[in-house]
Amino acid sequence: MVNLIKLAEKVSQSFEILTVNSALCSKVHSNLSKCSRCMEVCPVQTININDSNIQINGCIECGLCAKECPTGALKWKNPSNLSLIEKVKEYEQCEEPIYVHCSNHKLEGKNTNHIEVPCLASILSEIWLVMLNSPAQFTLYLPKDACRKCQVLTGGDLLEKDFEEAERLSKKKMLYIKSIDECQEKVIDNGINQDRRDSILYFFKKVKQAPLIALRDWASNGSDRNQEQSKISPIVSPKKEVIRYIFKNQPELQSIIKLKLPFINEKCEFCHACSKLCPNRALNQIDNDDEKVISVNPLLCSECNLCKEICFFDAISLKETSQGEWETKNITLASSTIE
């Protein structure tokens, strides 16, 4: 039978540009988590994380929090990482320049190939790497002082950091221009009245929630479903989705992109803490009659570092893994014979 509540939630989420899944947040899983990446990069400081959920009020939709979130608790959908990298691949045979620009500096011109994102700093360094290794001529379009004057104050430094990493790995330089003679730039005013913006967002949020609320009331039949804890299925993080796509379509980059996996030393007491608290369900502990085994699914590991931070016995560390090893379904990290 169709679960109408889940169906209603899926329909509701389809309207959202930024989706929030608090169940994947390492900080929600444990207060021992040191992760605060989303809060650190948010230019308007509107993200708050408590013991049960992630709260965002007054979002300016720059996409930086989703880019920095390791587990996929925050996920950007316009464009998503996969749709962006597929767009890059579509342009591979293009002989004309492809301009990559932010939504505050739109390009209007004849036969102009371009990729638009909310903020250039929202692009993963791995995607910049794909652009640098593409036969097409991807060109960064960024007017003078654009980042300094932008509402996304943290964007400039993040962009520079990702650029340096991508250029270091590829040993290539991205073409960069501040103006385009054959195209007209249309600058979008950042000075939107916040009260008006909030009113519009509130209206659409309520319109979007109306059918969801109705379906919930009808399907629940008055019962309190908050007491039920649904099981979290293993989820591949957005970054790992991109890396899997890259390795499949551009295997030559496998030796360039470095990934990390948890390693467990002899101090492990097989207490189940790491496997139970892993946000993406990458870690698994099986207690057989004669043996205890902890394994990791490399594809699911988001490198969030929570396992290391919550380990009572200082038995876990994250180390770089060898090429291709991350695609293995399961890797045994520790085992102990039961006598």
Side-chain angles (χ1 to χ4, degrees), residues 165-179:
E165 177 65 8
E167 290 181 339
R168 181 186 68 81
L169 292 174
S170 67
K171 298 179 181 179
K172 297 177 182 178
K173 291 288 184 181
M174 173 72 80
L175 293 172
Y176 163 61
I177 56 174
K178 298 179 182 179
S179 64

Side-chain angles (χ1 to χ4, degrees), residues 41 43 60 62 64 104 118-119 121 147 149-156 190:
V41 299
I60 61 172
C62 63
L64 298 190
N104 283 341
C119 174
C147 289
K149 296 176 182 178
C150 181
Q151 190 177 6
V152 187
L153 298 174
T154 52
N190 268 326

Side-chain angles (χ1 to χ4, degrees), residues 22-60:
S22 298
L24 289 174
C25 177
S26 59
K27 214 168 186 67
V28 170
H29 274 254
S30 172
N31 56 15
L32 293 177
S33 171
K34 297 176 183 178
C35 184
S36 58
R37 299 181 205 181
C38 60
M39 293 183 283
E40 289 172 3
V41 299
C42 179
V44 287
Q45 299 295 296
T46 59
I47 302 175
N48 182 50
I49 303 174
N50 55 37
D51 292 337
S52 60
N53 58 40
I54 303 170
Q55 297 175 340
I56 303 177
N57 298 299
C59 176
I60 61 172

Side-chain angles (χ1 to χ4, degrees), residues 74-337:
L74 300 170
K75 196 169 184 179
W76 189 256
K77 295 171 64 176
N78 188 30
S80 68
N81 287 316
L82 283 182
S83 64
L84 182 58
I85 202 168
E86 285 171 357
K87 185 81 170 176
V88 171
K89 189 169 180 61
E90 287 175 11
Y91 278 125
E92 273 189 356
Q93 305 305 318
C94 182
E95 296 181 357
E96 300 296 325
I98 302 103
Y99 302 105
V100 186
H101 63 95
C102 71
S103 56
N104 283 341
H105 297 276
K106 294 183 180 291
L107 298 176
E108 293 184 346
K110 239 180 179 181
N111 300 321
T112 303
N113 300 306
H114 67 100
I115 293 177
E116 180 182 328
V117 293
C119 174
L120 290 168
S122 68
I123 299 178
L124 289 169
S125 60
E126 289 81 5
I127 298 179
W128 287 120
L129 182 61
V130 172
M131 292 185 197
L132 285 165
N133 281 273
S134 172
Q137 184 182 332
F138 286 95
T139 303
L140 175 65
Y141 171 51
L142 190 63
K144 185 179 179 180
D145 295 330
C147 289
R148 186 175 60 82
K149 296 176 182 178
C150 181
Q151 190 177 6
V152 187
L153 298 174
T154 52
D157 291 339
L158 288 173
L159 176 61
E160 184 178 355
K161 176 185 173 184
D162 289 332
F163 244 65
E164 287 178 354
E165 177 65 8
E167 290 181 339
R168 181 186 68 81
L169 292 174
S170 67
K171 298 179 181 179
K172 297 177 182 178
K173 291 288 184 181
M174 173 72 80
L175 293 172
Y176 163 61
I177 56 174
K178 298 179 182 179
S179 64
I180 304 176
D181 295 335
E182 64 271 23
C183 297
Q184 293 180 344
E185 178 195 355
K186 182 182 177 182
V187 181
I188 305 302
D189 185 11
N190 268 326
I192 300 173
N193 182 284
Q194 193 62 41
D195 291 335
R196 180 172 177 269
R197 175 191 177 90
D198 291 343
S199 297
I200 294 171
L201 291 177
Y202 178 82
F203 170 76
F204 280 107
K205 184 177 181 180
K206 290 302 178 183
V207 169
K208 180 189 71 177
Q209 288 179 341
L212 175 61
I213 294 169
L215 274 172
R216 277 179 168 162
D217 290 343
W218 177 78
S220 65
N221 197 24
S223 62
D224 185 3
R225 292 182 179 267
N226 291 330
Q227 296 177 357
E228 299 179 9
Q229 291 186 348
S230 59
K231 293 183 178 180
I232 305 170
S233 300
I235 294 178
V236 180
S237 69
K239 183 174 180 177
K240 273 291 174 69
E241 287 178 342
V242 168
I243 291 173
R244 178 170 59 177
Y245 183 96
I246 292 172
F247 283 11
K248 181 180 178 180
N249 293 278
Q250 291 184 276
E252 69 276 9
L253 294 179
Q254 287 191 23
S255 60
I256 297 177
I257 298 175
K258 303 298 181 183
L259 300 171
K260 292 182 178 181
L261 285 177
F263 283 79
I264 300 178
N265 62 36
E266 67 281 357
K267 296 179 183 178
C268 177
E269 293 291 335
F270 298 87
C271 66
H272 286 272
C274 60
S275 58
K276 286 185 177 180
L277 291 175
C278 178
N280 297 90
R281 297 296 186 262
L283 290 167
N284 183 40
Q285 178 172 332
I286 298 176
D287 294 346
N288 297 316
D289 293 337
D290 58 347
E291 186 182 34
K292 296 179 180 180
V293 178
I294 300 175
S295 61
V296 62
N297 184 325
L299 179 60
L300 296 176
C301 178
S302 63
E303 304 178 23
C304 70
N305 214 41
L306 182 61
C307 55
K308 179 180 184 297
E309 292 167 345
I310 56 93
C311 182
F312 304 109
F313 309 102
D314 196 25
I316 302 177
S317 59
L318 265 69
K319 299 179 182 179
E320 283 191 0
T321 183
S322 61
Q323 176 184 344
E325 187 177 32
W326 75 279
E327 291 185 294
T328 307
K329 190 172 183 180
N330 283 295
I331 298 174
T332 299
L333 299 179
S335 61
S336 177
T337 303

